[in-house]
Amino acid sequence: MKYGIVGSSGRMGRELIEVFGPENCVATISLEDETILDSPEVIVDFSRPEALKRTLEVCREYRSALVLGTTALTEDHMVQVKELAQSVAVVQGYNFSVGIGVLRMILRQYAPALSEWDVEISETHHIHKVDAPSGTAITLKKEVGRDCPTHSLRMGGVPGDHSVSFANEGEVLTLTHRAISRKVFAMGALQAARFAIGQQPGLYDFEEVVSCAL
Ligand code: NAD
């Protein structure tokens, strides 16, 4: 698979190149540099929202599928992503770990049974993460189906911890996901890239990639 990375010099970019295999990397884009050696079948963007404009241009020019992991995208960004998705397959997600995909499914199915309970979400990430709350926390809140307090900690080198706690007068139920390393997101992105290549144009959620394994 010939692929390109947007955000290639970043923490995720370096991890992605290692997991996808450096030999098939035909394009790298970052703040510091842009190199396009060949036509990428898929572009994988884990960078900043400001990079999206260039990502969309490159996908259009080479008709590349897109795997989009950048967080803190606005509604306007998503309108632009949906426009691209009319011509190529786009897999977008704020968390490319399979465990979070499964946690989302569990919440969607069972949170209604706890609708009378208190619910709070907490997330912990490394000190370099710029957005808070995390995109994943926002997604989990949607799955809970109601507004709830969300707590963000920025500490050390934590790749990403998320907990959803439900409580009533007599019991507490906590569902926790911990990413042990960034590699997990890169492995999920690789799964998403394989899914996207050869897929009909459209906007796909990473959860659809996870569901393929069920
Ligand atoms: P980082 O700061 O280490 O790297 C950012 C990269 O983006 C760098 O290569 C930088 O040069 C590049 N960049 C910044 N602005 C740019 C611009 N205007 N044009 C082109 N390139 C630009 O960040 P990181 O920790 O690697 O995280 C990158 C993104 O991935 C963040 O949005 C983070 O939240 C997200 N992320 C998503 C998941 C997921 O599963 N969806 C997992 C981890 C991180």
Side-chain angles (χ1 to χ4, degrees), residues 5-9 27-36 54:
I5 301 284
V6 181
S8 51
S9 62
T28 50
I29 297 174
S30 68
L31 265 184
E32 301 81 20
D33 174 53
E34 175 171 328
T35 306
I36 301 184
R54 183 66 188 134

Side-chain angles (χ1 to χ4, degrees), residues 132-196:
S134 67
T136 305
I138 294 167
T139 305
L140 293 176
K141 192 190 284 196
K142 280 190 195 139
E143 302 297 3
V144 165
R146 57 187 154 122
D147 200 18
C148 63
T150 304
H151 312 281
S152 300
L153 298 179
R154 295 289 172 264
M155 300 169 72
V158 180
D161 292 352
H162 291 87
S163 288
V164 184
S165 293
F166 296 88
N168 66 8
E169 288 294 321
E171 50 187 320
V172 176
L173 172 63
T174 301
L175 300 165
T176 297
H177 177 268
R178 166 164 287 188
I180 294 165
S181 91
R182 276 184 195 90
K183 189 173 182 182
V184 72
F185 306 123
M187 287 164 64
L190 179 59
Q191 231 179 307
R194 289 183 177 137
F195 170 94

Side-chain angles (χ1 to χ4, degrees), residues 6-14 29-33 45-52 54 68-72 93-97 125-126 128-131 135-136 159 182 185-186:
V6 181
S8 51
S9 62
R11 282 174 288 269
M12 275 307 301
R14 293 192 300 268
I29 297 174
S30 68
L31 265 184
E32 301 81 20
D33 174 53
D45 179 342
F46 282 65
S47 61
R48 289 280 178 273
E50 307 86 78
L52 185 68
R54 183 66 188 134
L68 182 56
T70 301
T71 58
Y94 283 149
N95 195 306
F96 276 83
S97 77
H125 281 87
H126 54 89
H128 304 289
K129 185 166 177 64
V130 286
D131 49 320
T136 305
R182 276 184 195 90
F185 306 123

